[in-house]
């Protein structure tokens, strides 16, 4: 029997394909899992709307016996900043109401995690990192911690922790792990895009000056955001706006003598096929019809931005939860199997197994 060649330590054996299940440092065991139970999608029990409903339920209970401590503002209009101030404020009844919602949401989130862990691909999970907009708040962090306590109380020994980077930045920084590091040699940064159902964010990810293992010091040098939900653009108008955002970032980087690689990494909702088209899951993207056989986002961007610096543009795209999870790679080498759950408009998910190159060397 022929001997298998040792795996290259720089991840060069990972195929360069959109939506690849084998990346330089991790194997993706599962992503965009549309887990269902008798009530529908399991993920619908742990998202932004669900948490808002928990707050509304507690407000309704309190209103039966007196004034609502949160006043007259509609629950859906409560910003994260406002909920944060209520939790930390002097009004103990208002803070207790928010804590009640945190407890109820944590109970549901723990049940969601239990159902994911019953999936064979998730059965050996050692750690779950939680991202998404919900994570970036005190009440979000309390929910995550309470969820882990509930799981341990149920006899499930698993870590549930907040993702290290700010979720907005994690969705960009993770792109550096879509390709082997040798592709970045001679460059200081790359372009990254995070496309969602409400916003499009583009940024320049700087690799870092310290050359730490697995881009541990990578950071967002500059970013820009467009809330497309306010404009309701067509698909073609979205691509035009995104291309303009990227070109502006390229120009800024060049003026600052920051040399970006001719590479754009994209995180996008849905199942991403090897050719860069979206198989399913893109129904909330601006303008609709992103799953059309005749549309390909990477190809459209390469046409709009044919070159970065002196070289032709190369685009790599993957699922947005996958990309956000990849940002955790520098901080996850003490376990073998792990997952990410992103709490936002929906519940994004992905499961990973570390490859040989992740071991400390």
């Amino acid at each position: 029997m022929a001997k298998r060649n040792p795996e290259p330590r720089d991840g060069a054996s990972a195929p360069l394909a959109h939506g690849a299940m084998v990346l330089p440092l991790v194997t993706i065991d599962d992503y965009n899992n549309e887990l269902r139970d008798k009530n529908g999608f399991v993920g619908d029990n742990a998202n932004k709307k669900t948490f808002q409903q928990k707050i509304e339920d507690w407000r309704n209970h309190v209103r039966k016996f007196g004034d609502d401590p949160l006043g007259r503002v509609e629950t859906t209009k409560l910003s994260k900043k406002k909920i944060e101030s209520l939790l930390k404020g002097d009004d103990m009844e208002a803070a207790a109401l928010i804590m009640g919602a945190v407890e109820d949401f944590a109970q549901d989130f723990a049940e969601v995690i239990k159902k994911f862990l019953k999936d064979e691909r998730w059965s050996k999970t050692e750690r779950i990192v939680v991202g998404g907009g919900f994570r970036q708040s005190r009440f979000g962090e309390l929910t995550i911690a309470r969820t882990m306590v509930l799981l341990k109380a149920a006899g499930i020994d698993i870590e549930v922790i907040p993702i290290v980077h700010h979720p907005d930045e994690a969705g960009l920084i993770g792109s550096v792990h879509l390709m082997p590091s040798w592709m970045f040699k001679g460059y200081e940064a790359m372009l990254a895009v995070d496309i969602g159902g409400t916003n499009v964010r583009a940024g320049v990810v700087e690799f870092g000056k310290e050359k730490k293992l697995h881009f541990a010091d990578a950071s967002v040098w500059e970013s820009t955001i467009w809330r497309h939900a306010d404009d309701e653009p067509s698909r073609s108008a979205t691509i035009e706006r995104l291309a303009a955002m990227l070109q502006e970032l390229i120009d800024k980087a060049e003026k600052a003598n920051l040399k970006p690689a001719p590479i754009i990494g994209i995180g996008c909702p849905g199942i991403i096929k090897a050719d860069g088209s979206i198989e399913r899951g893109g129904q909330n993207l601006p303008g609709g019809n992103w799953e059309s056989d005749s549309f390909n986002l990477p190809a459209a961007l390469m046409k709009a931005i044919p070159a970065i610096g002196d070289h032709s543009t190369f685009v790599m795209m993957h699922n947005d939860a996958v990309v956000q999870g990849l940002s955790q790679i520098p901080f996850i080498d003490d376990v073998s199997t792990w997952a990410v759950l992103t709490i936002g408009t929906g519940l994004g998910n992905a499961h990973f197994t570390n490859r040989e190159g992740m071991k400390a060397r």
Side-chain angles (χ1 to χ4, degrees), residues 27-39:
T27 297
I28 302 172
D29 310 303
D30 183 38
Y31 78 90
N32 203 69
N33 190 321
E34 298 169 317
L35 191 65
R36 295 172 181 261
D37 60 16
K38 62 181 180 180
N39 297 314

Side-chain angles (χ1 to χ4, degrees), residues 43-44 46-49 132 284 341-348:
D44 288 345
N47 56 36
K48 177 182 176 181
K49 185 177 180 180
N284 294 322
L341 293 171
T342 58
I343 304 175
T345 305
L347 183 70

Side-chain angles (χ1 to χ4, degrees), residues 56-354:
E56 182 65 19
D57 289 345
W58 277 105
R59 296 181 76 178
N60 287 333
H61 292 318
V62 172
R63 286 173 187 142
K64 293 177 181 178
F65 303 99
D67 294 335
D68 183 343
L70 305 194
R72 295 183 178 181
V73 61
E74 295 179 19
T75 300
T76 56
K77 299 293 179 61
L78 288 171
S79 65
K80 283 195 296 184
K81 185 177 180 180
K82 178 61 177 177
I83 297 172
E84 200 90 325
S85 67
L86 290 169
L87 185 62
K88 296 178 179 178
D90 296 330
D91 187 333
M92 292 297 102
E93 187 179 0
L97 189 152
I98 299 301
M99 282 302 302
V102 166
E103 175 64 26
D104 288 354
F105 188 81
Q107 294 275 357
D108 284 358
F109 192 30
E111 291 302 314
V112 167
I113 289 174
K114 288 178 186 177
K115 290 175 181 178
F116 270 98
L117 293 177
K118 290 180 180 179
D119 187 298
E120 183 180 357
R121 292 163 292 187
W122 287 63
S123 62
K124 296 181 180 179
T125 308
E126 299 170 78
R127 183 178 299 159
I128 294 175
V129 295
V130 181
F134 185 80
R135 172 261 181 270
Q136 198 60 33
S137 61
R138 179 62 175 170
F139 59 87
E141 291 182 346
L142 282 170
T143 300
I144 294 166
R146 179 58 179 159
T147 299
M148 182 170 69
V149 169
L150 290 168
L151 290 169
K152 289 184 181 295
I156 301 172
D157 186 15
I158 189 170
E159 283 189 283
V160 184
I161 62 171
I163 202 164
V164 169
H165 293 288
H166 188 294
D168 292 343
E169 297 193 345
L172 300 175
I173 291 171
S175 286
V176 302
H177 299 290
L178 291 175
M179 294 142 284
S181 59
W182 59 260
M183 292 185 68
F184 302 126
K185 288 182 178 178
Y187 299 99
E188 300 170 302
M190 68 171 288
L191 279 297
V193 176
D194 186 10
I195 302 175
T198 302
N199 302 313
V200 170
R201 188 181 302 273
V204 177
V205 177
E206 192 172 13
F207 301 144
K209 304 298 184 183
E210 301 301 324
K211 308 299 183 186
K212 291 184 180 178
L213 187 65
H214 306 326
F215 297 106
D217 56 347
S219 62
V220 177
W221 176 78
E222 180 80 25
S223 69
T224 181
I225 186 171
W226 169 39
R227 185 178 168 85
H228 62 74
D230 295 336
D231 299 335
E232 299 183 356
S234 65
R235 190 183 66 191
S236 60
T238 300
I239 304 306
E240 290 176 9
R241 178 68 177 268
L242 175 56
M245 291 166 67
L246 287 167
Q247 189 59 58
E248 182 179 354
L249 289 166
I250 292 168
D251 294 342
K252 283 185 177 181
E254 290 177 347
K255 286 180 181 178
N257 293 319
L258 182 68
K259 190 177 181 182
I263 295 169
I264 301 173
I266 304 174
C268 185
I271 299 290
I272 311 302
K273 295 196 286 188
D275 66 354
S277 59
I278 302 173
E279 183 175 330
R280 65 179 185 277
Q283 64 272 8
N284 294 322
L285 294 174
N289 206 28
W290 286 58
E291 299 168 11
S292 168
D293 291 338
S294 62
F295 176 70
N296 186 291
L297 177 58
L301 272 186
M302 285 190 287
K303 183 177 180 180
I305 305 176
I308 299 175
D310 298 327
H311 299 281
S312 298
T313 302
F314 178 81
V315 177
M316 185 64 71
M317 186 165 85
H318 218 306
N319 173 268
D320 54 348
V322 167
V323 174
Q324 193 165 145
L326 293 177
S327 72
Q328 194 75 9
I329 279 179
F331 319 105
I332 207 82
D333 61 355
D334 57 329
V335 298
S336 296
T337 57
W338 55 285
V340 63
L341 293 171
T342 58
I343 304 175
T345 305
L347 183 70
N349 61 82
H351 195 278
F352 308 92
T353 297
N354 291 340

